[in-house]
């Protein structure tokens, strides 16, 4: 200008170009066996600044590499900033799939207990039978990576009791881990307590079946003494061994409740209501699986 000064102020060169950022490729992963998640890794994005080469920070929106991702699609977004606060973003997708088998149906007269989600790869489903039934076939099946179940479904068939055994132990072994036993002993069929007890139990067969209880009757005096399981008769030797083994007298009415491990759990010297027996079993003898099943079948007998 006339005064020898430059007009205006001195300009500066400002970085207006955003950084260059390139994310990893999108990826798809199968969930791990017995899980509904997959652990997914990736390399950090490639970032470069077009001006002075300085990147001040890179932020991640989403889980870190190496995280466990649930089933579905997940968007991972990175944003890079340069010294002039210019920014650029990129994103990629992590997709997790869960291999699933067709849902299994519980067996007739039985039920299923399954691990994990019940039909995902690696899940195991175990077959159980209701009281009075026993499993025939494979006890469990596994969901395979081919999305098919291993093995074939078993069935729950009515429990067959072999009374033609050589000892009481051979008879009781058939019930081990399958059934509880209620052994009733009376001096004769006309015993008042015996008639009262049998009458009450005959009206509660559904509750007994739900709790896996089989009744054994030992009634009378030798040589007319009778022992029976349902309609099957026991031999005199088996009756005598049962009495000695369970300390059951012929002199008066007495009764013993035996758990599935063959252990004497409760004794009765006079008749008790089925409700009392059921309460004792429900409170003290049910396994976790049985307890869950009982809650589901609470109203079955009503």
């Amino acid at each position: 200008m006339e005064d020898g000064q430059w007009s205006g102020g001195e300009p500066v060169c400002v970085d207006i170009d955003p950084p260059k950022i390139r994310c990893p490729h999108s990826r798809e992963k199968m969930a791990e066996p017995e899980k509904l998640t997959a652990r997914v890794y990736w390399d950090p994005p490639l970032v470069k600044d077009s001006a002075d080469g300085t990147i001040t920070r890179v932020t991640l929106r989403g889980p870190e590499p190496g995280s466990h991702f649930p089933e579905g699609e997940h968007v991972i977004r990175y944003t890079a900033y340069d010294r002039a606060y210019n920014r650029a973003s990129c994103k990629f997708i992590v997709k997790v799939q869960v291999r699933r088998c067709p849902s299994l149906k519980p067996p007739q007269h039985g039920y299923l207990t399954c691990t994990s989600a019940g039909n995902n790869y690696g899940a195991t489903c175990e077959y159980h039978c209701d009281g009075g039934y026993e499993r025939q076939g494979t006890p469990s099946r596994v969901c395979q990576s081919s999305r098919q179940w291993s093995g074939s479904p078993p069935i729950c068939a009515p429990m067959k009791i072999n009374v033609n055994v050589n000892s009481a132990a051979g008879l009781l072994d058939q019930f081990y881990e399958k059934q509880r036993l209620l052994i009733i002993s009376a001096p004769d069929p006309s015993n008042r307590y015996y008639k009262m007890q049998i009458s009450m139990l005959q009206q509660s067969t559904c509750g007994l079946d739900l709790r896996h209880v089989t009744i054994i009757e030992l009634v009378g005096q030798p040589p007319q003494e009778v022992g029976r399981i349902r309609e099957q008769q026991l031999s005199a030797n088996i009756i005598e061994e049962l009495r000695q083994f369970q300390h059951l007298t012929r002199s008066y009415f007495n009764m013993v409740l035996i758990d599935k491990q063959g252990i004497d759990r409760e004794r009765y010297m006079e008749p008790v209501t089925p409700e009392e027996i059921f309460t004792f079993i429900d409170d003290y003898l049910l396994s976790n699986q049985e307890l869950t099943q009982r809650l589901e079948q609470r109203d079955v007998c009503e």
Side-chain angles (χ1 to χ4, degrees), residues 141-194:
R141 302 175 74 189
V142 178
C143 179
Q144 303 172 108
S145 60
S146 62
R147 293 185 169 91
Q148 297 297 319
W149 290 98
S150 64
S152 55
I155 61 170
C156 290
M159 186 176 176
K160 293 181 180 179
I161 303 166
N162 179 18
V163 296
N164 298 314
V165 290
N166 296 323
S167 66
L171 178 70
L172 298 177
D173 280 349
Q174 298 175 64
F175 300 95
Y176 184 72
E177 293 188 341
K178 296 179 182 177
Q179 288 280 104
R180 300 177 179 90
L181 294 174
L182 186 64
I183 305 180
I184 305 170
S185 172
D188 60 77
S190 61
N191 179 268
R192 183 168 60 92
Y193 279 178
Y194 169 71

Side-chain angles (χ1 to χ4, degrees), residues 231-244:
E231 303 302 320
Q232 298 189 81
Q233 302 292 319
L234 303 177
S235 68
N237 289 339
I238 297 295
I239 294 172
E240 183 60 34
E241 285 187 29
L242 278 176
R243 287 192 176 282
Q244 292 182 9

Side-chain angles (χ1 to χ4, degrees), residues 79-99:
T79 302
Y81 298 84
D82 64 16
R83 190 178 293 179
Y85 301 105
N86 296 307
R87 67 181 180 181
S89 298
C90 67
K91 66 180 181 180
F92 65 99
I93 293 174
V94 170
K95 184 176 181 180
V96 173
Q97 289 189 339
V98 177
R99 292 188 184 99

Side-chain angles (χ1 to χ4, degrees), residues 110 153 278:
F278 297 162

Side-chain angles (χ1 to χ4, degrees), residues 106 110-114 128 130 210 286 288-301:
Y111 58 97
L112 289 167
T113 57
C114 300
H128 306 271
D130 296 333
L210 275 182
L286 294 186
N288 291 335
Q289 288 179 353
E290 285 183 293
L291 187 57
T292 301
Q293 191 69 8
R294 279 287 300 112
L295 293 173
E296 293 175 359
Q297 297 178 328
R298 185 176 295 277
D299 301 324
V300 166
C301 295

Side-chain angles (χ1 to χ4, degrees), residues 26 41 53 102 105 135 157 190 294 302:
S26 293
Y41 295 91
K105 292 183 179 179
R135 185 179 55 219
S190 61
R294 279 287 300 112
E302 294 183 359

Side-chain angles (χ1 to χ4, degrees), residues 182-201 215-221 243 247-257 266-273 277:
L182 186 64
I183 305 180
I184 305 170
S185 172
D188 60 77
S190 61
N191 179 268
R192 183 168 60 92
Y193 279 178
Y194 169 71
K195 292 167 68 176
M196 190 184 305
Q197 186 67 75
I198 291 298
S199 175
M200 288 190 289
L201 292 174
I215 295 174
I216 299 179
E217 298 173 60
L218 309 176
V219 184
Q221 308 290 331
R243 287 192 176 282
H247 306 291
L248 292 164
T249 179
R250 294 183 177 88
S251 303
Y252 48 81
F253 173 89
N254 51 135
M255 189 165 66
V256 60
L257 177 64
E266 189 70 305
R267 288 184 175 269
Y268 307 92
M269 297 301 159
E270 56 186 39
V272 292
T273 64
I277 297 172

